[in-house]
Amino acid sequence: MAVALLSPGLGLASVSVADAASRNGSSYTKASVFFWFGLLLMFVPIAATALARGTRRRERLLLLLLLGVAFYVVKILYSPDNFGFGDEYIQLRSTQDILRTQHLFAPNPLLPTASYYPGLPALTAGLMDITGLSPFTCGLVIIGAARALISVSVFFVAERVTKSDRSAAAASLLYAANPMFLFWSAAFSYEDLALPLAAFAVWWLGKTRHETHRLPWSVTAVTILAVTVTHHVAGLALAALLAAWWLAERLTVGRNRRLPELGAMTLLAGATSLAWLFLVARPAAHYLFTDNLFPAFRRLGSLLSGHAAPRKLYSSGGYVSPHWQTFLGFLAVILILAALPPALYYGWRRPRRAPLLVAMATAAAYPLSLLPRLTTVGVAISGRSSEYLFAGLGCVLGLLVITPHRTRRRHTVHRKRFTAASLLTTALATAVLTTILVGDVTIGTAFYQQLPEATDPRGYPWSLQADVITASKWTLHHLGNNQRFGSDAIDALALASYGDQDPIPGDTVWPIFFADQMNESVVRQIQRAHLRYVLLDWRMTKGVPATPGYYFSPAEPGAGRYAKAFPPVGLEKFDSTNCDTLVYSAGPIQIFNISRIETGSCIPKAARSARLKGATQ
Amino acid sequence: MTHLRLVLLSVTSFLAATTIVAGYLAVPDVMRIVLGLVLVLILPGFMLLWAILPEGRLSYDERLLASVGGSMAITICVAVSLAATPIGLSRTSLSVALGALTLALSVYNGFRTRVPHDT
């Protein structure tokens, strides 16, 4: 137990060495040794102790909480001074808007849907107001609390489903091994608050639904409302899970005294989620269905019908993962798929209880969730679904830890043999879970993103750079806020958050940047988009974009399959006309004022000569 | 009413009242941070649990989990509601709303525990 309690500290020290080495420019091969060693040092002792037969329930709970928090600290070490992931800047912008206006629904130029789900930004803004802490610190505190909430909630829910704290430990460990848990689920993002709240609501409902009075339902109702206003998919998933629970109970137990209350909570979750989605958060439906789900299903359909080739796994932006990561990624999936049928069988043989049936149905959906991963547009859906499915998967696979024992206990006379079998089960389960953890981390995060980018990267960076943040802050102080900016997708994050500017969408901006000359078409596009400033990052001309695989938008030519860097002529054109004014220049960052083109008071030479030619013809 | 419960109620009421006052006055940063974190992440849920569940129904770890989860859910709903109304979400409005809610629950709990049939 003492080793398990100490190991996360040592593991985190090793991870911080890896992060520091990576920032200083060490190669991935060298730095990642410390990263993986640290991760194993955190996971293996905790898993072995939490799965051991003799460990007490409260000790298991403490260890799993410790693991969840330690994994959260891995993400903090990755980006200790500032937000590091793209989605975090979206929430930062919404938070700043609420702080500035004190009201909701200010347009978010990075993701319009985000401002219609104000749970996380409102909570962060409120905490900032009351404590006076920075948005980054408040974000860390809130997501840290959410991480503790989900670590404990998953254990409690799994314990109620499996009726065993040992199985619950296995379920929690498997949940912590899901591809998104280490980095994605630890980000300052709305789903990472909504999902823990949803897990809490499910546990609370199961815990208190047999109380004689109805007051505990108020906590469930408040939590359902909080989830609804925080994240679209989490709200809908909670409603779907409650509906499945109600249905399973109706089928297994029949009508009982507590069924109407469960039905009422299901209705509340369903009605509020759908009403918010279609009546309040209107852009969300388009974002969810038209932009994400439908294209993914269309591409999946093409793939299954043989009209499209599958995506090449473990490669992006010219990077190819180390072979051992590819191998372990596949092995992790194979292990889960191999364990699933016997686990479902054991589950089916146990007394039919609604929560277990719901967990089994969720787990059975796992193989299907892997299919969209084979398409370019379906990767995100497949990855994010694991955050939900692994809860059910954990409950069902967790049964395997106890089921063989029960069978064996009946037939084994010798105590020694029983203890040996128990030790073997613990060792085997720890080995399998560790393999799944390592494999799933490689599935969820591209290898070069497992460690922070070098402070002075060569080529085109995949993370936000300090000089862009400085430039963005400069724009706020010297140009005022809400100016319409054109820039590449990564730098737009800093402009929208630190600069409080309004970067125009990538789909609109890429034709302006890709043109060789400031011709009439570009001028028309600038005027249509009311573009007043452009931020040029000359590092674009030094390398291809690794993640997300494009400079501006997935619609630009060459997105996802770049072999050559962005042509310098695309940026040089802004400096070749007397209609632009250079207002900021520091290192590779330049900002041009193009408002005279936007207003039509100045026409660039190339556009003018095209107009004259058109007039003479 | 047990001595512990009396102490807890008094402390909670004091913290909630202090947070309301801190919304209007300049107080030291450390005090503001501690009060704010406790008010947003623990107190409302803790008081609500006390009001709705008889003692002994939850273990300590379950009560802590429910206090944090309940508090976060309550604060989200209160913050979003304030921001959706003309009042707006500000330091004063949120600290008054959360502090008043916690105080009201404390008073209710104090009243409830003094009634003989409520055990």
Side-chain angles (χ1 to χ4, degrees), chain A residues 57-58 61 98 102-104 118-119 122-123 125-133 141-142 145-146 148-149 152-153 156 193 197 200 203-204 207-208 211 213 215-216 218-219 222-223 225-226 229-230 276, chain B residues 19 29 32-33 35-37 39-41 48-49 51-54 57-62 65-66 68-70 72-77 79-80 82-91 94-95 98 108:
Chain A
R57 175 186 179 272
R58 191 161 278 181
L61 179 61
I98 291 178
Q102 299 191 350
H103 293 288
L104 306 174
L123 180 62
L127 192 61
M128 284 174 68
D129 276 332
I130 290 185
T131 60
L133 291 167
V141 169
I142 289 169
L149 197 64
V152 179
S153 296
F156 282 158
L193 174 62
L197 284 172
F200 165 70
W203 166 70
W204 179 258
K207 177 77 188 174
T208 59
E211 289 291 327
H213 58 98
L215 282 171
S218 61
V219 175
V222 168
T223 312
L225 292 177
V229 298
T230 302
W276 194 272
Chain B
T19 318
D29 283 349
R32 203 176 151 191
I33 291 167
L35 281 175
L37 289 175
L39 186 70
V40 168
L41 296 177
L48 183 62
L49 279 187
I52 61 175
L53 270 188
R57 295 293 168 92
L58 296 176
S59 61
Y60 285 118
D61 38 22
E62 287 173 335
L65 171 74
V68 174
M72 287 173 88
I74 289 170
T75 310
I76 288 171
C77 291
V80 169
L82 283 171
T85 60
I87 301 167
L89 177 65
S90 66
R91 176 182 167 184
L94 186 65
S95 53
L98 283 180
Y108 172 73

Side-chain angles (χ1 to χ4, degrees), chain B:
Chain B
M1 186 188 296
T2 63
H3 182 65
L4 177 68
R5 297 190 81 177
L6 183 65
V7 170
L8 275 175
L9 266 181
S10 308
V11 169
T12 307
S13 307
F14 173 74
L15 286 174
T18 314
T19 318
I20 295 175
V21 174
Y24 290 96
L25 298 176
V27 293
D29 283 349
V30 178
M31 190 175 161
R32 203 176 151 191
I33 291 167
V34 173
L35 281 175
L37 289 175
V38 171
L39 186 70
V40 168
L41 296 177
I42 294 175
L43 285 190
F46 179 70
M47 278 291 113
L48 183 62
L49 279 187
W50 195 338
I52 61 175
L53 270 188
E55 223 176 335
R57 295 293 168 92
L58 296 176
S59 61
Y60 285 118
D61 38 22
E62 287 173 335
R63 192 167 280 273
L64 184 62
L65 171 74
S67 295
V68 174
S71 293
M72 287 173 88
I74 289 170
T75 310
I76 288 171
C77 291
V78 169
V80 169
S81 305
L82 283 171
T85 60
I87 301 167
L89 177 65
S90 66
R91 176 182 167 184
T92 313
S93 66
L94 186 65
S95 53
V96 167
L98 283 180
L101 177 70
T102 309
L103 264 181
L105 286 167
S106 304
V107 170
Y108 172 73
N109 287 330
F111 175 75
R112 226 175 120 240
T113 43
R114 289 174 75 91
V115 178
H117 60 76
D118 183 23
T119 52

Side-chain angles (χ1 to χ4, degrees), chain A residues 531-598:
Chain A
L531 193 61
R532 299 182 68 83
Y533 295 92
V534 285
L535 182 144
L536 311 185
D537 188 339
W538 285 86
R539 283 175 294 227
M540 285 168 57
T541 61
K542 307 285 184 216
V544 299
T547 299
Y550 52 82
Y551 294 105
F552 303 95
S553 148
E556 74 194 31
R561 49 187 169 81
Y562 278 104
K564 278 197 294 188
F566 190 80
V569 68
L571 303 186
E572 283 163 0
K573 70 172 178 283
F574 291 104
D575 203 13
S576 63
T577 161
N578 55 352
C579 294
D580 302 349
T581 316
L582 179 67
V583 293
Y584 180 91
S585 181
I589 306 300
Q590 287 185 325
I591 296 174
F592 281 91
N593 179 346
I594 56 166
S595 55
R596 289 203 297 156
I597 301 176
E598 188 262 328

Side-chain angles (χ1 to χ4, degrees), chain A residues 359-370:
Chain A
M360 287 167 65
T362 312
Y366 172 73
L368 294 176
S369 77
L370 296 172

Side-chain angles (χ1 to χ4, degrees), chain A residues 57 66 387 461-462 602:
Chain A
R57 175 186 179 272
L66 192 65
E387 290 179 286
W462 46 263
C602 182

